Amino acid sequence: MIGEPVIVAGGGTDAGRVRVSNQDSHLMAGCVFAVADGMGGHAAGEVASALVVARLAGLAERPTLRPDDVRTVLADANQAIIDSAARNPAQSDMGTTVTGLCLVQVAGSTHWLVFNIGDSRVYRFADGTLTQLTEDHSHVAELVAAGEITPREALDHPLAHFVTRALGTQDFVDPDIRVFPPTPGERFLICSDGLTRELADDLIAHVLADEPVPQAAADRLVGLALAAGGRDNVTVLVVDHVASPSEPVGTTTPRARAGG
Ligand code: MG
């Protein structure tokens, strides 16, 4: 039996330099990591993003997870947001993106599972290469995919913030889910669009390559997003799957600690 991945993570969030409140929420609990970017007036976005993160936190309490557990929790969170909005008129327009990463059991072995609804993102950084694992569910991502605009033009597009999938806005939840085996030494970045609208991927990759401590890398990325304008709430989690050749084979308890 192969030892479970050893994980070290760090994260940070900031309202930014323009928005009065921070509607992003995030989770680092056990081997479950998530970022949610809420939307809606009267602070309702904060309610929606906090609600899905609280539901996902429940997954971290379970001894083992399977992909269907993640799907079920996302569907439950969607219904809870819809129900809350139905009871509270001030929340009528609320919704949230959510994306993240957790360890699941598939066919008897441990795998990473990446989930996504909306335009927050998960990236994998390994061997010096930054790869976006999630696909944005946004109008501009569809235009880019169709070749009608460039990724650069997408940033300034009038509908740049329009997401085509979110929790709380549709009865049916359709998350993207991908599952793959862990590789020691890999690093993951989970972030809201407040990071990726401000910083180009090559600068993000440079920071991830240059800063070995996850908390310090997350802090630097948040700081750079603020320095670049900070036009939106920004949330960054950096999750390292530590390469530990000294780790005894047979260790079975996934370990994670926040704060790197
Ligand atoms: Mg945002």
Side-chain angles (χ1 to χ4, degrees), residues 165-197:
R165 275 190 241 175
L167 290 182
T169 60
Q170 289 136 344
D171 289 337
F172 177 69
V173 180
D174 183 20
D176 287 344
I177 301 264
R178 63 191 282 176
V179 172
F180 54 94
T183 306
E186 64 197 341
R187 165 173 270 190
F188 296 95
L189 167 69
I190 310 171
C191 60
S192 60
D193 65 338
L195 180 75
T196 49
R197 285 180 193 289

Side-chain angles (χ1 to χ4, degrees), residues 24 37 193-194 232-233:
D24 288 359
D37 180 345
D193 65 338
D232 192 4
N233 306 149

Side-chain angles (χ1 to χ4, degrees), residues 16-17 194-196 198-199 203 219-232 234 236:
R17 296 167 64 182
L195 180 75
T196 49
E198 300 292 2
L199 304 186
L203 176 56
D219 290 342
R220 259 173 75 179
L221 288 169
V222 171
L224 286 167
L226 297 178
R231 282 159 283 200
D232 192 4
V234 55
V236 175

Side-chain angles (χ1 to χ4, degrees), residues 34-35 47 49 95 100 140 204 227 235 249:
V35 167
V47 173
S49 66
V140 291
I204 293 172
T235 302
V249 172

Side-chain angles (χ1 to χ4, degrees), residues 25-28 32-36 53 56 98-101 115 190 235 237:
S25 295
H26 66 279
L27 175 70
M28 296 191 289
V32 183
F33 304 90
V35 167
V53 159
L56 287 166
V98 65
T99 195
L101 177 73
F115 56 92
I190 310 171
T235 302
L237 309 185

Side-chain angles (χ1 to χ4, degrees), residues 124-214:
R124 181 173 182 267
F125 183 72
D127 303 321
T129 300
L130 185 68
T131 307
Q132 185 178 334
L133 298 182
T134 53
E135 193 173 289
D136 292 351
H137 302 139
S138 67
H139 182 62
V140 291
E142 290 175 2
L143 293 177
V144 170
E148 292 182 25
I149 61 172
T150 66
R152 175 77 208 118
E153 288 167 342
L155 293 172
D156 300 321
H157 194 278
L159 294 176
H161 292 271
F162 185 81
V163 294
T164 51
R165 275 190 241 175
L167 290 182
T169 60
Q170 289 136 344
D171 289 337
F172 177 69
V173 180
D174 183 20
D176 287 344
I177 301 264
R178 63 191 282 176
V179 172
F180 54 94
T183 306
E186 64 197 341
R187 165 173 270 190
F188 296 95
L189 167 69
I190 310 171
C191 60
S192 60
D193 65 338
L195 180 75
T196 49
R197 285 180 193 289
E198 300 292 2
L199 304 186
D201 280 5
D202 57 353
L203 176 56
I204 293 172
H206 170 77
V207 173
L208 293 175
D210 191 55
E211 179 50 69
V213 178

Side-chain angles (χ1 to χ4, degrees), residues 5-182:
V6 178
I7 298 163
V8 182
T13 188
D14 197 287
R17 296 167 64 182
V18 176
R19 306 285 174 95
V20 292
S21 65
N22 191 345
Q23 299 196 326
D24 288 359
S25 295
H26 66 279
L27 175 70
M28 296 191 289
C31 292
V32 183
F33 304 90
V35 167
D37 180 345
M39 58 200 95
H42 305 97
E46 282 158 78
V47 173
S49 66
L51 202 150
V52 64
V53 159
R55 297 287 170 125
L56 287 166
L59 291 176
E61 308 293 320
R62 303 187 198 175
T64 58
L65 290 181
R66 297 183 192 288
D68 275 351
D69 297 327
V70 179
R71 287 191 182 89
T72 299
V73 161
L74 293 174
D76 288 350
N78 185 58
Q79 193 58 49
I81 293 167
I82 290 170
D83 291 347
S84 181
R87 290 191 304 270
N88 302 283
Q91 298 175 351
S92 61
D93 60 347
M94 77 172 170
T96 187
T97 76
V98 65
T99 195
L101 177 73
C102 59
L103 287 171
V104 296
Q105 295 298 312
V106 176
S109 65
T110 301
H111 286 67
W112 286 116
L113 182 148
V114 169
F115 56 92
N116 183 52
I117 300 165
D119 66 351
S120 300
R121 293 180 180 173
V122 177
Y123 290 84
R124 181 173 182 267
F125 183 72
D127 303 321
T129 300
L130 185 68
T131 307
Q132 185 178 334
L133 298 182
T134 53
E135 193 173 289
D136 292 351
H137 302 139
S138 67
H139 182 62
V140 291
E142 290 175 2
L143 293 177
V144 170
E148 292 182 25
I149 61 172
T150 66
R152 175 77 208 118
E153 288 167 342
L155 293 172
D156 300 321
H157 194 278
L159 294 176
H161 292 271
F162 185 81
V163 294
T164 51
R165 275 190 241 175
L167 290 182
T169 60
Q170 289 136 344
D171 289 337
F172 177 69
V173 180
D174 183 20
D176 287 344
I177 301 264
R178 63 191 282 176
V179 172
F180 54 94

